[in-house]
Amino acid sequence: MTSIQKPPVRHPSLQQNTLGLTRRDYEGAMSTLCAGCGHDSVTAAIVQAFWELDVPPHRAAKLSGIGCSSKTTAYFMKQSHGFNAVHGRMPAIATGANAANKDLVYIGISGDGDSLSIGLGQFCHAIRRNVNLLYVLENNGVYGLTKGQFSASADIGSKSKGGEANVQPPIDPVLLALTLGATFVARSFSGDKTQLVPILKAGLRHKGFGLIDIISPCVSFNDHESSTKSYRFTREHYTEMTAVDFVPLRREITSDSETAGASAVSVTMHDGSVVRLRRVAEEYDPTNRDAAYAHVRALQQRGEIATGLLYVDTSANDMHAVNRTVDRPLVDIPFEELCPGSAALDSLMEEFR
Amino acid sequence: MTSIQKPPVRHPSLQQNTLGLTRRDYEGAMSTLCAGCGHDSVTAAIVQAFWELDVPPHRAAKLSGIGCSSKTTAYFMKQSHGFNAVHGRMPAIATGANAANKDLVYIGISGDGDSLSIGLGQFCHAIRRNVNLLYVLENNGVYGLTKGQFSASADIGSKSKGGEANVQPPIDPVLLALTLGATFVARSFSGDKTQLVPILKAGLRHKGFGLIDIISPCVSFNDHESSTKSYRFTREHYTEMTAVDFVPLRREITSDSETAGASAVSVTMHDGSVVRLRRVAEEYDPTNRDAAYAHVRALQQRGEIATGLLYVDTSANDMHAVNRTVDRPLVDIPFEELCPGSAALDSLMEEFR
Amino acid sequence: MSSINDFAFKIATVNGTGSASANSLLMQAIFRMGIPVSGKNVFPSNIQGLPTWYEIRVNRDGYTARPSEMDLVVALNPETYAKDVAAVRPGGYLLYDSSWPLPPALRRDGIKILGVPFGTMCVEAFEGDRARTLMRNISYAGALAALLSIDMEVVSAMLNEKFARKKALLESNFKAMRLGYDYAMAHFDCPLSFHLEAMDATRDSILLDGNTACGLGAVFAGATVGAWYPITPSTSLMEAFKEYAERWRVDKATGHRKYALIQAEDELSAAGMVLGAAWAGARSFTATAGPGISLMSEFIGLGYYAEIPGVFVDVQRTGPSTGMPTRTQQGDLLSIAYLSHGDTKHIALFPANPEECFYLTTQAFDLAERFQTPVFIVSDLDIGMNDWMCPRLKWNDRYRPDRGKVLDAAELAEVKKFARYADTGGGVPARTLPGVSPKGAYFTRGSGHTSAATYTEDADEYREVVDRLARKLATAGEAVPGPEIDPHDGASIGIVSLGGCHAAVREALHQLRSSGVAAEYMRVRGFPFGASVRDFMTKHRRYFIVEQNRDAQLRSLLAIETGTPLEKMVPVLDYGGLPLTAGFVVNEIARQLRVLQTPSLPGIPDAPLAGATRGVE
Amino acid sequence: MSSINDFAFKIATVNGTGSASANSLLMQAIFRMGIPVSGKNVFPSNIQGLPTWYEIRVNRDGYTARPSEMDLVVALNPETYAKDVAAVRPGGYLLYDSSWPLPPALRRDGIKILGVPFGTMCVEAFEGDRARTLMRNISYAGALAALLSIDMEVVSAMLNEKFARKKALLESNFKAMRLGYDYAMAHFDCPLSFHLEAMDATRDSILLDGNTACGLGAVFAGATVGAWYPITPSTSLMEAFKEYAERWRVDKATGHRKYALIQAEDELSAAGMVLGAAWAGARSFTATAGPGISLMSEFIGLGYYAEIPGVFVDVQRTGPSTGMPTRTQQGDLLSIAYLSHGDTKHIALFPANPEECFYLTTQAFDLAERFQTPVFIVSDLDIGMNDWMCPRLKWNDRYRPDRGKVLDAAELAEVKKFARYADTGGGVPARTLPGVSPKGAYFTRGSGHTSAATYTEDADEYREVVDRLARKLATAGEAVPGPEIDPHDGASIGIVSLGGCHAAVREALHQLRSSGVAAEYMRVRGFPFGASVRDFMTKHRRYFIVEQNRDAQLRSLLAIETGTPLEKMVPVLDYGGLPLTAGFVVNEIARQLRVLQTPSLPGIPDAPLAGATRGVE
Ligand SMILES: Cc1ncc(C[n+]2csc(CCOP(=O)(O)OP(=O)(O)O)c2C)c(N)n1
Ligand SMILES: Cc1ncc(C[n+]2csc(CCOP(=O)(O)OP(=O)(O)O)c2C)c(N)n1
Ligand code: SF4
Ligand code: SF4
Ligand SMILES: [Mg+2]
Ligand SMILES: [Mg+2]
């Protein structure tokens, strides 16, 4: 009756993954978000995805900026290191961390304000570097934590709770990422866990920058009539381009038909696991950047929101491959290998005379 | 023999425009750029454009960031107010200035480092706001002023003077602008004054954010063999999509055939002047955002650089129209109209009890 | 001394449950009874579901700083029971929801415990969770009305105003109010020993928060361009500007606006827009908090060196970094004074309350244009977001903006050659606006420039300009509002403070003096410090510098700018994030005086008063 | 006193014409002759076509600060003739290009004027503009070799090394060198009264710039991640790191790199990458200049409060704002000490020369990890970009990094519950790295947190952490390199300085003492100041604080941190953007001493020495 008690995201089943861990082992602190916030559903999907992928919690790192969305890193995987950076600057922290230790599984959580306003520059450049990071953008069209101002993803005409209509054109993170050469681009909806979990798994396995733009309604400030980021509006204008099915490495693929065929493309990730994309919209080719861009635009003009794994390119090199860093994480290299030593210095001195 | 004397950009002809001003009246301080720098050619084209448009120099404002390119605002129109902002932040200064005084002609000069690295966020958001500003991006693929590091527009494989190949994918300001909903998008080459001048004029007349991405080679650090931003490479890979012809307001348009017809589109600017775009690449439609995007991409894949006025939309509202500010510049509104006065305050006090 | 109109109580609930309206209803009712009152909202940095407190202090003498102890605590949030019961002063009262048996956490000897079954009463009386939660808050207001004898006439009048157009809500509010009121009346002997009696001490006053006051000040000062990026606790400032600009700055005929408010993409951009607009001739401003100040620092350096006006309001919150966004502090003083790399110094104004926020905001625009430099208004969360009782704001219709030395076309026609950065007296140059005259054209840059605004790398030409800048800021030191000094004959010590600390310090000063401490008090209101501040700092052997930060930043500024040696300045520091209390100041100074071997003072307890520094618990 | 190996000369040319190589050839040749020498490059902020100067000082006693006056000036840039001829000391020499008749601007009485037809000679001897321009520079080097008796053996040896693989160039260089040399020999009586004689004073020395030294230090300290955004004058630091990392950090077999150098999109991002990498366990760093420091300030606040290591080199340039990018200054001291909003304080190290840049860089990484906080290396353009003569760098192979309190899996297994922000002694907490153990997991945030790294808005829990941070920085004050003190019996005054000023101050100290001023000297090397700095500040009645900024920032830091009253600290400020000269220091202190009514000193001129503060002209 008094303090609204929201139990941490719970899963009845105590089923164990190959590490012998239950979903509970992938949960975090109790959410302090509003009851019904889309972000909490994303949190639940993330818990599910990590659990299904058998990621040892302490081998994952959770990074975020500032915002209600960015708070969610505290609500899953309490056994992972977490990092709430400053507003809009998570990509830089993630880039540095990944440079130092390439072997961790990095997931970055951000919001539309965090990523498309103050953080736009860093967001774009992290894409350019193809940092090996799953970037989850919890998109609600507003600044939730500061009480509902329009964000850069708000659609023209979408009304605020106060009834004011947004007048600025929106930035679509999906089109932006496709334009900037992103190697994994998806869009989903916090309310569609069936679609979300396999996409998250594919994104976590993708070696490079994976963007998932998740429409995640803000029940306190942007879930009313005449908002284009409400649960209702999203459900009504939702169109799935590809349905994703993730086949983990260990489950070998038996028959061709299972992976390919007229209505499906199958993409093999760097670790050998396979993502199968069933074309829901016929003709859709998720491996063609320009086609993907054109499709998303076309649907937009029809007032529809293209969802699914919209584009993937597993051939591109991630930041480390591009910079040709050693296979070992830099943090694992002993000092002895890093310091040239006195002899080297002494001979170098001759060059300074 | 000693100090390399570069005369200020000169034009023999002393012909006068309708204001009775010669090109000399549109010139600025002596350039301190390297002899042969592409930026100096852009400066010359800007002088020509302003002169041809009969803009009273003191009614124009020149803004820039920091860089060799950003220095060029000092090299034209000494009778205009100029503003070298801080690195990458010219769009904010321009937005504020334009908000205060909408009646000046604003030209912003920037570089690829200034716009696509440190300034990327501001660049994108100025486009979103459709600030009435002609944004000239002098693009040479390097940071000239800091001695030749690769910029975010450098192509993969393009080699530095030191022989190192760039490994990061480039950001194409034209595709980016099209994706962000820019209302005037063009690309040209510092070496092609015939194409550049009319585009600049059209851009200056466009009511909203006009982007001109100008490939402007850096002779000191990026004009060598194996650079994709050299004079030679640009000339060789240059493809003109539309040829621009600017018809000023006062010269009335006599016959239809002159403005339209199979091979031409004519676009009427807010002030009634007309831009005629002759389709050089057949089929090209500069009023279709998606077609423009697709064409630029297609050429890119063929290793060609699409130039000309690539997209224009004169129907979109600029920042002031969107925000419904009064027609008078805000700076011209007398204080008496701005201050509610004591009576208003006294009655307001009742609401605070 | 009797405790009629002299007590404090607080309500502990959960945010997002609508208790806010019940709380302000209570405070406003007391205010309308003519009794001096203040309310401090202690809220969490989220939107719904976390602990929140509202502290109300009633004081017939008009001391409205945060109270040092609580006579009554309403404990409605199980999560904070322990803290809340501990906050009751010995002999005080605890009011809880007796729908459930008294939880052990609430048991405590030496206090009186009152139970009202708010929950059950509302479940019976109303339909639906939401309504029940909301009405429960109104019902505790009802109970308090009975216990403290709040005038029900006043209350109903307010409800009628508030829900004039919402009949249904009006009724349920009345109903809920009655539930609590009647239950209390029936079960306890109301009113309690400490309670309210109507006075006539608020007739010429209003309840106002500093952010509204600053926004209003910007409208009245004729600001036309605002640019900002949302950040707690500054957001409501720009919202207030918008509200009043929409009211008074929209052309009736066309519906067009005589102002531009731009929500920037970040604080760097907001700062740039402010400078761009001011450069073009508008009065422009922004509001932010600490993180925004850090992000603006490059642009502030440009504003300083290129000499561009601009008003920057810092509504301080607890730092460093993101810190505690919903807690107060005075932690940005040093950052602001010398913000940005290189040699810089900035004008800063330190309002002590919402009233001063209004007047200093208008003054800030004048100073910014007169000295052609960024001017900071250094507010804080307590001033900015809490409702303070202050005198009605007045406006002098003869006020005209001081635009500083701006040459128009006519004046330019006179000058031989315009030199933008030459000294025209007191280190202040003359400027021109774009679009006015070809003769006024000059080049604005943050790189080395001569007095004629041309580029330079020459040592002498560079120094000519920066030396003038130093003179200009010295001139400004005498133009900013001087300190407010409360003299005292034969004073042996000086107390120095600023901003929001004032309310608590003046109350403490009263207590200290009445217990025999001969102290003189100076509240600085502007930076750079002028001669009067320097003079005060030479008068006494010892000073107590009262401020709300860990590192004694005001003390550091006084050391740098007035040359006062540190050992003469004893720091009195409160930085837990809550508004300052007089009790804390009295205790600290008393303790220090003891440490400093001065005879112990009558009437000053040895142990710090409970709660004085212990924050919300 | 004879002027063998004790004189100074400068060359005025245009940048981008290749004079740089001729100038360093000259300097290096002198160095190889075993004579102490220094060179100061005074260059413009563009790439080609603007005035540039190169000043070379020869001093047998090893005083290598910027010279106060010029015995010889080579004037090859008509644009600066006036300045350059004025810079010649009375009785000194001017060397010009007599291909054209002596321009009036170069006429001056009381100096000797030498003309060599460099232009015509090179036009005759070489083909093509470019070659002619380049060779002209070599030919003036030849003329100087004759006039100053530079050992031609040494010169040819150097040319042979330099152009070993470029026969054609080698020949033309020899030819050009000869042209100038022979002409001078034939027309003037060489050498001049002041000239060179081989010594043996540089055997154990090298010529090194500070940026190279810092880059080298980072490689030796085991830094693996560097992130940066190009900015003058710091760029060459990261380039040096890359050069040596490519040499020593590339796996021979695979060609893979054992380091990551990321060119960030801006300084905000660079700072974030440094913190991210350090958080994950790497030694990471960046280099920038003033504008970058301003842009990094938000992230620095996060590093301070979330306690993340990181090394930040500020190669200072003249501020404020963009300022003069190719001029030096010490204008960021105050900004750095308390960078970012809220209560913060940072560790800073102040190298005095390139040698110290190397050693302090390695130490910076140890301090950063030991105290888990950002550490600044405060260099400047003069130290960073000019070649200084210093002792060969040495490396102790027994050095192992101090990684501070980092708990590994084994240690974590021991602890009951890991509390990231609890005090483990001296205010320093223990940290863990991601990926090591589930037990080490904690949440890093810049918002309010408890000692157990959980979120809090509670006053006490908040204060527990920030109070520990204050203790931690106090501990650090005793761990940073202590001051270098040059004691003096019966000293009546103290001189305090830091960083690049040291070279000039120690020379000035020598002059002052030999003219009877009993002065003691302290050079601070680290911030926060420790006890030894405080002690020194209590010893004397009066101090002279020598620094290169307008606002006496070191003096302000001493006032805040040691409590020394301002009136005891007399500022000696040089901020025109050029390296400090001993002449300026001597004159200022002498003048001040006179002002301060101390008996006028023998051997100290009344008028400041020409050029001491007048910059390049
Ligand atoms: C530098 C800085 N500026 C502003 C803020 C205030 N702020 C906190 S969160 C936020 C916006 C959050 O929006 P979004 O990223 O969309 O997250 P949401 O709350 O909507 O999930 C802002 C403006 C801040 N914390 N730091
Ligand atoms: C905050 C800041 N960071 C870095 C610099 C250094 N800097 C000056 S210009 C420049 C890049 C210029 O590149 P671009 O915009 O492409 O201009 P160009 O010189 O190539 O024409 C940089 C990094 C600076 N002035 N300010
Ligand atoms: S305010 Fe909106 S985004 Fe934030 S927690 Fe509540 S519902 Fe979620
Ligand atoms: S460096 Fe390059 S960009 Fe700069 S002026 Fe020279 S040629 Fe132009
Ligand atoms: Mg959002
Ligand atoms: Mg460039």
Side-chain angles (χ1 to χ4, degrees), chain B residues 321 323-328 337, chain C residues 249-258:
Chain B
N323 295 330
R324 316 222 337 288
T325 32
V326 289
D327 298 337
R328 277 174 301 167
E337 279 185 57
Chain C
R249 292 273 194 86
V250 176
D251 183 306
K252 298 279 165 298
T254 62
H256 288 172
R257 302 182 164 121
K258 294 178 185 172

Side-chain angles (χ1 to χ4, degrees), chain D residues 289-331:
Chain D
I293 293 297
S294 287
L295 288 173
M296 292 181 181
S297 78
E298 186 195 26
F299 256 133
I300 293 300
L302 176 69
Y304 170 82
Y305 190 34
E307 303 185 62
I308 306 170
V311 172
F312 298 77
V313 187
D314 177 12
V315 187
Q316 299 171 101
R317 64 190 210 184
T318 303
S321 194
T322 301
M324 299 195 290
T326 57
R327 294 292 182 270
T328 196
Q329 205 173 60
Q330 297 174 316

Side-chain angles (χ1 to χ4, degrees), chain B residues 279-349:
Chain B
R279 291 202 195 76
V280 175
E282 84 295 332
E283 288 301 290
Y284 190 80
D285 176 3
T287 64
N288 179 327
R289 183 181 303 278
D290 295 307
Y293 188 98
H295 270 86
V296 173
R297 282 282 298 166
L299 260 67
Q300 240 171 29
Q301 264 128 44
R302 297 211 308 269
E304 293 173 29
I305 305 160
T307 67
L309 175 41
L310 301 168
Y311 174 72
V312 60
D313 166 9
T314 56
S315 68
N317 287 326
D318 85 328
M319 179 174 71
H320 284 282
V322 164
N323 295 330
R324 316 222 337 288
T325 32
V326 289
D327 298 337
R328 277 174 301 167
L330 294 173
V331 291
D332 292 348
I333 303 175
F335 178 72
E336 294 63 24
E337 279 185 57
L338 299 175
C339 180
S342 59
L345 187 62
D346 293 344
S347 59
L348 178 68
M349 289 304 102

Side-chain angles (χ1 to χ4, degrees), chain A residues 32-34 37-39 68 140 144-145 217-221, chain C residues 47:
Chain A
T32 60
L33 303 182
C34 305
C37 176
H39 304 347
C68 296
N140 55 15
L145 192 53
C218 169
V219 294
S220 289
F221 299 110
Chain C
I47 305 302

Side-chain angles (χ1 to χ4, degrees), chain D residues 463-525:
Chain D
R463 272 203 315 273
E464 181 189 353
V465 171
V466 296
D467 288 347
R468 179 182 52 72
L469 280 169
R471 292 198 304 277
K472 183 174 86 168
L473 268 290
T475 310
E478 300 305 327
V480 300
E484 179 182 82
I485 292 175
D486 180 341
H488 190 76
D489 298 345
S492 61
I493 60 169
I495 296 176
V496 182
S497 190
L498 83 173
C501 295
H502 180 58
V505 174
R506 56 179 279 276
E507 182 179 357
L509 186 69
H510 173 77
Q511 292 180 35
L512 286 165
R513 285 175 175 173
S514 50
S515 50
V517 180
E520 214 162 36
Y521 170 44
M522 169 173 77
R523 173 170 71 94
V524 297
R525 299 197 305 152

Side-chain angles (χ1 to χ4, degrees), chain B residues 225-240:
Chain B
E225 267 308 314
S226 75
S227 152
T228 62
K229 289 277 191 300
S230 65
Y231 279 109
R232 174 130 176 267
F233 186 95
T234 309
R235 285 222 172 71
E236 285 169 358
H237 298 75
Y238 196 66
T239 309
E240 195 167 21

